[in-house]
Amino acid sequence: MAELSDVYFVDGMRTPFGRAGEKGMYWNTRSDDLAVKATIGLMERNPEVPKERIDDVAIAATSQTGDQGLTLGRTVGILAGLPLTVPGFAIDRMCAGAMTSVTTMAGSIAMGMYDLAIAGGVEHMGRHPIGSNADPNPRFVAEKMVDPGALNMGVTAERLFDRFPHLTKERSDRFGMLSQHKAQAAYDAGRIQPDLVSVAVKGADGAWGLATEDEGRRPQTTMEDLAGLKTPFRPHGRVTAGTSSPLTDGATMSLLAGGGAVKELGLKPKMKLVSYAFAGVQPEIMGIGPIPSTEKALKKAGLTIDDIGLFELNEAFAVQVISLLDHFGIADDDPRVNQWGGAIAVGHPLAASGVRLMIQLAAQFAERPDVRYGLTAMCVGLGQGGSVIWENPHYNGKKKK
């Protein structure tokens, strides 16, 4: 009979993130090929894991159509060279797709059904803009189940400003600017690059090149630059391109394992799963979703917010992140939060972003043996939030000097 097991994040890798659209580096690259590259890179970096031992592959996409359809976990697994005996499936929880891939696989590992699994996500927003080919049921609006603006993420972000007037545009602008500065500092220090898989890309002129880093960064951003930007979601609004995650293409992949497999194969996990939770909120203000999901995850873990030493929060919009920080009494510029920048700087390829948060937290854990627990959390379209709490295997109980 299967026994309950601990769950470990062994490793994670991702493609560089590209700008969506015709001018982006992945315009001529298939979505499933991005996921394949991330999967190959992950397995090549972990040669001690026999490919035939992978129990399942879960890959998320928000727009499951075209080259992002056809049961991605299975098709990408085959294309990446996994044995035909390895099954796979696809997941959709919009922005929390990859996060849900991880938690779904974690549940199977914890129950002792799986030993090893691959979990990730991909989004090619250039080929598949958010909401493309979607057909929302007219009852949502006709029966006033949700406001029409709930389907526009920028409108929901503006409503956070309405609800919390003390979350000013200036605070949002400053958070967006610092995200850019922190991301570039992390690049300059060589902290991001080790977990990136280079991707061969074909330009508009037919020439081949190599994608080696995130394309959309704007490290020279100043408060003056942000103050002058247009507010596309509302006249005289407060949400701008400088305080929003850009439309992005990219893929992320992670390797998860149970305690038995870790011991048997001599693996060196980067994180241990502590707890996770998802929660629903009003779709009109979807940005507050990570607040109740984090409260649920903390309760499941028997922890408080003060126990969390590192935060990786998805920056769908700056106001969305600072609404969570404000709720928990954390300063906008707290050094525990998004140390290496976030989605405002590097991009948010919807269903792929959850594992990017985990990759960055895992790398920070390795540098911070004084930190025991970390949180990855994100808001989710249509009014949801997702949170995962992780434990640092390098923790030594000593406070940082």
Side-chain angles (χ1 to χ4, degrees):
M1 187 174 178
E3 296 182 358
L4 297 182
S5 171
D6 289 329
V7 181
Y8 294 92
F9 181 98
V10 176
D11 199 8
M13 295 195 77
R14 67 178 178 90
T15 68
F17 289 172
R19 278 199 200 100
E22 292 185 29
K23 295 181 180 178
M25 60 190 184
Y26 293 138
W27 180 246
N28 294 313
T29 305
R30 287 179 61 97
S31 180
D32 48 11
D33 281 337
L34 290 174
V36 167
K37 287 295 293 186
T39 305
I40 291 174
L42 179 67
M43 294 307 294
E44 286 183 347
R45 194 159 80 170
N46 294 274
E48 67 276 29
V49 176
K51 293 179 180 179
E52 67 275 8
R53 291 286 303 278
I54 301 296
D55 287 302
D56 213 345
V57 181
I59 299 179
T62 301
S63 300
Q64 297 195 8
T65 182
D67 59 348
Q68 236 166 245
L70 203 61
T71 314
L72 278 168
R74 177 60 171 165
T75 54
V76 168
I78 293 172
L79 290 165
L82 298 181
L84 295 178
T85 51
V86 176
F89 63 108
I91 278 181
D92 171 21
R93 199 199 296 263
M94 298 188 79
C95 309
M99 178 177 281
T100 306
S101 296
V102 168
T103 57
T104 300
M105 293 292 90
S108 294
I109 292 171
M111 284 292 294
M113 298 299 113
Y114 291 176
D115 297 315
L116 294 155
I118 291 174
V122 62
E123 208 76 50
H124 200 306
M125 299 183 75
R127 287 176 177 265
H128 309 291
I130 187 169
S132 61
N133 295 324
D135 180 19
N137 194 302
R139 287 180 54 215
F140 279 121
V141 175
E143 298 180 18
K144 294 186 168 60
M145 293 180 181
V146 298
D147 185 277
L151 300 177
N152 184 310
M153 301 302 105
V155 171
T156 68
E158 286 283 6
R159 285 176 176 160
L160 288 180
F161 281 114
D162 296 340
R163 176 166 289 212
F164 307 113
H166 59 287
L167 304 181
T168 61
K169 182 179 185 296
E170 183 183 7
R171 286 176 66 179
S172 176
D173 284 354
R174 188 169 301 281
F175 189 92
M177 177 187 73
L178 291 176
S179 178
Q180 298 285 358
H181 295 177
K182 289 189 289 186
Q184 189 58 44
Y187 258 94
D188 292 344
R191 289 180 156 125
I192 304 294
Q193 298 92 323
D195 296 316
L196 300 182
V197 179
S198 297
V199 180
V201 292
K202 193 175 185 180
D205 58 359
W208 286 91
L210 199 63
T212 59
E213 58 182 53
D214 299 314
E215 187 178 26
R217 308 191 317 278
R218 293 184 173 87
Q220 309 307 321
T221 299
T222 66
M223 288 293 284
E224 290 73 25
D225 295 334
L226 296 177
L229 293 177
K230 295 178 180 177
T231 58
F233 304 109
R234 181 189 293 178
H236 312 294
R238 287 151 290 191
V239 179
T240 69
T243 56
S244 310
S245 55
L247 303 180
T248 312
D249 306 330
T252 62
M253 220 59 65
S254 67
L255 176 64
L256 307 174
V262 166
K263 188 174 181 180
E264 177 195 348
L265 299 172
L267 306 179
K268 293 181 173 58
K270 297 183 174 182
M271 301 193 292
K272 180 182 177 182
L273 181 70
V274 177
S275 69
Y276 61 85
F278 295 91
V281 297
Q282 287 176 273
E284 292 83 359
I285 50 166
M286 66 96 193
I288 65 169
I291 294 174
S293 65
T294 296
E295 290 176 331
K296 286 173 70 175
L298 287 167
K299 186 176 181 181
K300 292 283 186 187
L303 300 173
T304 70
I305 199 71
D306 295 331
D307 293 310
I308 305 300
L310 288 168
F311 295 79
E312 276 296 319
L313 308 175
N314 191 49
E315 299 169 357
F317 300 93
V319 66
Q320 172 264 316
V321 179
I322 60 177
S323 70
L324 180 145
L325 297 177
D326 191 76
H327 174 85
F328 287 110
I330 299 169
D332 297 355
D333 59 352
D334 190 299
R336 296 173 294 169
V337 177
N338 294 8
Q339 290 189 334
W340 300 350
I344 289 171
V346 301
H348 173 28
L350 300 184
S353 285
V355 167
R356 180 193 67 79
L357 301 176
M358 296 169 195
I359 290 169
Q360 288 194 193
L361 179 61
Q364 290 165 24
F365 269 171
E367 293 187 3
R368 295 290 303 277
D370 59 304
V371 171
R372 185 170 185 181
Y373 298 110
L375 171 73
T376 53
M378 60 201 312
C379 62
V380 188
L382 299 181
Q384 300 182 82
S387 304
V388 188
I389 296 174
W390 302 92
E391 186 173 9
N392 184 359
H394 311 288
Y395 177 66
N396 62 14
K398 298 177 182 177
K399 290 188 176 182
K400 190 178 182 183
K401 293 181 181 179

